[in-house]
């Protein structure tokens, strides 16, 4: 499957929920390609997006909790590895990012679709203070229980000063 | 009386050192098999000396008197076991006439006491690891009890026609198991020996039957809360048991002395040295039994699960020992009641 | 041996079964495990946070310290991520050298795991044997890179040292040594009766569960899920090797059920696979440069003017390593995310550890080859550092309070 047809499939499936996408393809010899696809998703449609991606093939959540913090929002990045057929070297990365505004730091859990995302979501909750709705296990993962509530170690700037 | 006491005291000290040395030899041999250099031969002795200097900590959750008395009881009873088995044999070697005969049934009980004391101490420590270890130790004890009893009874059985008391230890030397055994008797004896050798590591808590201590599962299990002198007592108990149990196998199955086997005696400057040479021969037999029963088995096997152990002893080993007993009963050369 | 009494059993954070601190709380019924809870976070070192204050070259050496065993995989994933952002071409010879070191690392990691697994089930002789033969590959790595671990071989855009003729001779000799040993060793590992009795049918992770929980590496492959970054996704020189296939227990004619034995079989077969890959790479090693020839300063200057996001994936011995970097015209990345294999595999412990015996706990936990330090690499910034620093005397006092001294002291 070539790069363009993959992108077309994903664009068709996601339709208007896809806010922006960026494709990066690296060609190796013998038709082997490395494909990285960045997509930005509306927060409301994120759950639907993950569901759609899962229906396309073997979906694997690859990285833990990458994020970018801006003045007014946190951009949460979910890198997925998707494999749509059994051929070798056919897995590609879909890096989905979701904007979450500071005044409403919530997002719906994806553990009902990808149960392996639980550790990541627990980490997001304790480190960034983003509330994951309907998460099956909301305890802390890495930080000790003695850490005061409302202090999120990986928040930058303003929020950190607030909590001091 | 005083002589007996003096002998007992000397033998306790000698037995202690020999027991520790036996453990040292075991570790050296195991190291050789694992292509290591291994600790010095006297490492168990150094361990004891070091532990004697160490602080003894008793956890707050423990039942204090029970926790601290259990290793002492274990040590005393294992020393008793050693003396009880060894003294008749020593008298026999030195050809001293005595009324001390020893009793196999008492030996059967004495084997149990150190383990039960350890289990009690472990339960009283309040540690969940020790509790699980103690439960496992109880399971092992219950499953090896029957094979040991069957072995001892069958060995006593064949001596029943003699003038001597069949359950006396001293009659074992005069009428060894292979004494006038036919084909059935020899076969039965081999099965019994096999069962007894496999019981040895279970009784000593060694791989593959070290579930009660299982370092990687229970962090030393029953002895996890012990430290300092109390731990030293446990190690000493282990040394006594090592010596006593190998000694038991020797007198049950190979009580022959050099003079019996080859009719030789040793003289020097008009004094007879035979008894001392016999003691060296005895030690040699003990080391061989211990290496085969414990060292070789523990280097080639992995630790089994407690359910596997229980099945193994309750069915396989019990069956083997009972077949051994039946074969000995069937042997026409041995006495049939 | 089931009883009605359910009691909790803590294993860890410090326990002889683990080489690193992690805490498991089991609910035990008799000898059976009824439930399990896992507590991470005892080896936080804040490596990701430290990385944000280092320049691009320094980070490579920092990331070697994420994990003692995967000390090549982590910096490699980072280099791949940076090369992805900056679109740097890696010379062919460097790709092959990276593959060789990666496979040498896999070789020693799997041998190490075999030893640990043997130790967990009380088979110390096998433990000594495997660690003894592991010395050979460590010697080889030492001669080649200068270190037994933390090789310092990588740089952005290539590798730092070339394979000299003497090195290739050592590697050839090492390959011969292992090829000769492999048949006997695999026979012991796969056919030994007590090993089989302790590993078969326990710690089962079904294929569906493995896929659901995003399991990676030998853990996933042991369950029959053919997931291998080397083969799913083009990295290093792997896509040049025509015969490379993901290992599964089917290769020894066994239908995978995902028990400990299957995971062990996968690792044993991967030892052979690694040997073959190394041999292939040594035979087909292309001539040419081993890096771009640019010095560290030049690389940093180039990366300083870049903006973008990159992702690097690599199959470490334990499974997928994935690094995500974000560059923003600065001398250091503004975000570096490290995902270690245990972070993905940690979740699979829960189905594996339910309904087993206590005796199986250590080997089941060890069966995913956990690397707690990797999973725990996350940041935690202590708020009042000075206040929470305890003196030795204070700790000693605390411990005395907790345990009464015995009467004779």
């Amino acid at each position: 499957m070539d790069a363009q047809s993959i992108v077309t499939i994903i664009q068709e499936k996601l339709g208007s929920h896809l806010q922006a996408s960026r494709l990066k393809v690296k060609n190796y010899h013998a038709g082997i390609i490395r494909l990285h696809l960045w997509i930005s998703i509306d927060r409301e449609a994120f759950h639907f997006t993950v569901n759609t991606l899962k229906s396309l093939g073997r979906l694997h959540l690859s990285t833990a909790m990458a994020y970018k913090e801006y003045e007014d929002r946190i951009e949460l990045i979910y890198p997925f590895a998707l494999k749509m057929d059994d051929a070798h070297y056919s897995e590609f990365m879909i890096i989905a990012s979701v904007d979450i505004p500071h005044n409403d730091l919530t997002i719906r859990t994806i553990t009902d679709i990808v149960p392996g995302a639980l550790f990541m979501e627990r980490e997001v909750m304790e480190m960034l203070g983003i509330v994951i709705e309907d998460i099956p296990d909301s305890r802390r993962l890495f930080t000790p229980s003695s850490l005061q509530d409302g202090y999120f170690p990986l928040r930058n700037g303003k929020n950190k000063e607030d909590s001091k | 009386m005083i002589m007996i006491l003096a002998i007992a005291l000397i033998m306790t000290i000698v037995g202690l050192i020999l027991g520790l040395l036996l453990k040292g030899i075991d570790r050296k041999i195991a190291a050789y098999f694992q292509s290591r250099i291994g600790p010095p031969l006297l490492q168990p002795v150094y361990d004891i000396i070091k532990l004697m200097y160490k602080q003894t900590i008793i956890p707050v959750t423990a039942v204090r008197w029970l926790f601290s008395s259990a290793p002492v009881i274990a040590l005393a009873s294992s020393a008793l076991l050693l003396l009880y088995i060894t003294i008749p044999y020593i008298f026999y070697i030195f050809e001293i006439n005595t009324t001390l005969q020893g009793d196999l049934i008492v030996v059967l009980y004495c084997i149990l006491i150190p383990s039960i004391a350890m289990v009690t101490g472990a339960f009283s420590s309040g540690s969940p690891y020790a509790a699980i270890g103690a439960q496992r130790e109880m399971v092992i004890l219950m499953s090896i009890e029957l094979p040991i009893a069957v072995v001892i009874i069958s060995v006593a059985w064949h001596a029943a026609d003699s003038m001597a008391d069949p359950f006396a230890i001293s009659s074992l030397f005069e009428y060894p198991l292979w004494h006038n055994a036919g084909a059935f008797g020899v076969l039965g004896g081999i099965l019994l020996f096999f069962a007894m050798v496999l019981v040895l590591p279970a009784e000593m808590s060694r791989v593959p039957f070290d579930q009660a201590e299982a370092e990687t599962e229970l962090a030393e299990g029953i002895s996890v809360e012990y430290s300092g002198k109390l731990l030293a007592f446990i190690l000493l108990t282990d040394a006594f048991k090592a010596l006593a149990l190998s000694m038991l196998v020797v007198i049950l199955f190979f009580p022959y002395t050099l003079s019996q086997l080859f009719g030789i005696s040793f003289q020097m400057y008009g004094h007879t040295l035979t008894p001392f040479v016999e003691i060296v021969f005895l030690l040699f037999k003990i080391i061989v039994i211990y290496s085969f029963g414990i060292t070789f088995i523990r280097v080639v096997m992995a630790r089994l699960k407690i359910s596997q152990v229980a099945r193994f002893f309750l069915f396989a080993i019990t069956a083997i020992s009972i077949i051994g007993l039946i074969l000995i009963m069937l042997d026409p050369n041995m006495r049939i009641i | 041996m089931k009883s009605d009494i359910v009691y909790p059993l803590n294993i860890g954070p410090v326990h002889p079964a683990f080489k690193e601190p992690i805490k498991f709380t089991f609910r035990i019924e008799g000898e059976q495990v009824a439930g399990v809870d896992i507590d991470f976070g005892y080896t936080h070192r804040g490596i990701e946070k430290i990385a944000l204050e280092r320049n691009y070259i320094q980070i490579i050496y920092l990331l070697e310290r994420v994990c003692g065993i995967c000390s090549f995989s982590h910096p490699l994933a980072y280099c791949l991520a940076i090369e992805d952002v900056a679109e740097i071409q890696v010379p062919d010879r460097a790709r092959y050298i990276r593959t060789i070191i990666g496979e040498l690392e896999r070789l020693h990691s799997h041998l190490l795991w075999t030893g640990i697994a043997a130790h967990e089930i009380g088979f110390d002789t096998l433990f000594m044997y495997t660690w003894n033969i592991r010395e050979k590959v460590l010697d080889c790595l030492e001669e080649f890179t200068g270190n037994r671990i933390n090789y310092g071989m990588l740089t952005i855009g290539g590798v730092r040292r070339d394979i000299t003729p003497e090195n290739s001779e050592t590697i050839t000799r090492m390959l011969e040594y292992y090829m000769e040993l492999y048949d006997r060793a695999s026979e012991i590992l796969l056919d030994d009766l007590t090993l089989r009795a302790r590993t078969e049918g326990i710690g089962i992770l079904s294929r569906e569960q493995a896929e659901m929980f995003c399991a990676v590496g030998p853990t996933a492959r042991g369950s029959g899920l053919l997931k291998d970054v080397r083969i799913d996704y083009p990295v290093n020189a792997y896509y040049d090797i025509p015969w490379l296939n993901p290992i599964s227990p089917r290769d020894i004619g066994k239908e995978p059920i995902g028990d400990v034995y299957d995971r062990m079989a996968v690792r044993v077969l991967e030892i052979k696979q690694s040997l073959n890959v190394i041999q292939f790479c040594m035979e087909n090693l292309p001539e040419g440069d081993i890096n771009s020839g640019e010095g560290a300063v030049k690389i940093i200057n180039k990366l300083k003017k870049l903006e973008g996001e990159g992702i690097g994936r690599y199959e470490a011995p334990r499974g997928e390593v994935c690094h995500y970097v974000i560059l923003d015209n600065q001398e250091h990345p503004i975000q570096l995310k490290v995902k270690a294999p245990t972070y993905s595999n940690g979740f699979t412990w829960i189905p594996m550890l339910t309904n087993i015996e206590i005796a199986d706990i250590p080997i089941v936990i060890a069966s995913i080859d956990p690397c707690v330090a990797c999973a725990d690499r996350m940041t935690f910034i202590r708020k009042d550092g000075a206040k929470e620093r305890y003196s030795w005397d204070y700790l000693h006092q605390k411990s005395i309070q907790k345990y009464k001294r015995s009467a004779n002291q």
Side-chain angles (χ1 to χ4, degrees), chain B residues 23-96:
Chain B
K23 283 172 74 174
I25 292 170
D26 163 59
R27 289 172 72 170
K28 261 304 199 214
I29 296 174
Y32 175 77
F33 279 108
Q34 297 172 345
S35 52
R36 290 184 290 131
I37 296 168
L41 205 57
L42 289 178
Q43 188 60 45
V45 182
Y46 302 148
D47 287 348
I48 298 290
I49 294 170
K50 189 194 79 176
L51 283 172
M52 284 297 179
Y53 285 110
K54 288 274 182 181
Q55 185 185 6
T56 306
I57 295 166
I58 296 179
V60 277
T61 49
V63 183
R64 208 184 165 79
W65 65 271
L66 203 55
F67 182 79
S68 41
S69 59
V72 182
I73 296 169
L75 180 61
S77 56
S78 59
L80 177 71
L81 175 67
L82 177 68
L83 295 181
Y84 206 81
I85 298 173
T86 321
I87 284 185
Y89 196 71
I90 299 293
F91 279 12
Y92 173 67
I93 287 174
F94 282 91
E95 291 167 346
I96 301 169

Side-chain angles (χ1 to χ4, degrees), chain A residues 1-160:
Chain A
M1 209 181 290
D2 65 297
Q4 205 48 51
S5 60
I6 289 170
V7 176
T8 320
I9 291 173
I10 288 171
Q11 272 169 348
E12 262 172 31
K13 289 267 181 189
L14 294 181
S16 60
H17 299 299
L18 190 65
Q19 288 178 337
S21 68
R22 182 164 64 87
L23 181 68
K24 193 168 180 179
V25 184
K26 192 172 177 189
N27 268 304
Y28 298 95
H29 67 86
I32 292 169
I33 53 163
R34 192 182 70 187
L35 196 155
H36 291 177
L37 177 66
W38 275 267
I39 53 175
S40 296
I41 307 288
D42 195 22
R43 177 167 55 156
E44 277 66 42
F46 185 64
H47 194 266
F48 164 78
T49 307
V50 179
N51 229 336
T52 313
L53 292 178
K54 182 157 177 150
S55 68
L56 288 175
R58 192 182 80 195
L59 189 68
H60 168 73
L61 181 66
S62 231
T63 308
M65 200 195 71
Y67 68 99
K68 277 195 266 186
E69 197 170 356
Y70 299 100
E71 278 295 302
D72 58 335
R73 65 200 155 91
I74 295 176
E75 189 185 328
L76 205 56
I77 299 164
Y78 290 76
F80 292 105
L82 184 62
K83 193 171 160 86
M84 282 162 65
D85 51 28
D86 285 337
H88 288 182
Y89 310 107
S90 66
E91 198 169 56
F92 55 94
M93 305 297 295
I94 296 183
I95 299 124
S97 56
V98 189
D99 279 342
I100 301 167
H102 265 316
N103 52 25
D104 181 24
L105 284 174
T106 55
I107 186 167
R108 195 176 154 194
T109 180
I110 59 162
T111 46
D112 49 344
I113 312 165
V114 187
L118 182 61
F119 279 1
M120 175 191 172
E121 294 194 342
R122 281 170 71 179
E123 210 185 320
V124 167
M125 274 179 87
E126 66 179 346
M127 294 289 181
L128 292 176
I130 295 172
V131 177
I132 311 278
E133 288 165 351
D134 304 330
I135 187 167
D137 183 353
S138 61
R139 288 172 307 160
R140 286 176 174 153
L141 180 63
F142 289 122
T143 51
S145 54
S146 58
L147 185 73
Q148 72 183 69
D149 287 336
Y151 177 71
F152 306 113
L154 286 186
R155 281 280 193 83
N156 293 331
K158 198 166 139 272
N159 286 278
K160 203 160 160 187

Side-chain angles (χ1 to χ4, degrees), chain B residues 18-180:
Chain B
L18 288 178
L20 291 173
L21 261 177
L22 191 59
K23 283 172 74 174
I25 292 170
D26 163 59
R27 289 172 72 170
K28 261 304 199 214
I29 296 174
Y32 175 77
F33 279 108
Q34 297 172 345
S35 52
R36 290 184 290 131
I37 296 168
L41 205 57
L42 289 178
Q43 188 60 45
V45 182
Y46 302 148
D47 287 348
I48 298 290
I49 294 170
K50 189 194 79 176
L51 283 172
M52 284 297 179
Y53 285 110
K54 288 274 182 181
Q55 185 185 6
T56 306
I57 295 166
I58 296 179
V60 277
T61 49
V63 183
R64 208 184 165 79
W65 65 271
L66 203 55
F67 182 79
S68 41
S69 59
V72 182
I73 296 169
L75 180 61
S77 56
S78 59
L80 177 71
L81 175 67
L82 177 68
L83 295 181
Y84 206 81
I85 298 173
T86 321
I87 284 185
Y89 196 71
I90 299 293
F91 279 12
Y92 173 67
I93 287 174
F94 282 91
E95 291 167 346
I96 301 169
N97 282 323
T98 169
T99 49
L100 273 177
Q101 287 188 321
D103 193 318
L104 280 173
I105 303 291
V106 177
V107 169
L108 198 55
Y109 281 109
C110 274
I111 291 175
L112 270 181
I113 298 173
S115 307
I116 289 182
M118 285 301 305
V119 166
T120 320
F123 272 128
S124 68
S125 72
S127 157
Y129 294 116
I132 295 171
Q135 286 169 7
R136 291 177 170 188
E137 180 77 13
M138 285 309 289
V139 171
I140 295 177
L141 276 185
M142 284 188 278
S143 39
I144 61 175
E145 204 44 38
L146 192 55
I148 295 186
V150 171
V151 168
I152 287 181
I153 286 169
S154 353
V155 174
W157 173 279
H158 93 280
D161 68 331
S162 62
M163 295 299 124
D165 178 2
F167 280 106
I169 293 177
S170 54
S171 55
L172 289 175
F173 319 136
E174 278 140 45
Y175 307 96
L177 184 63
W178 323 98
H179 185 45
N180 48 4

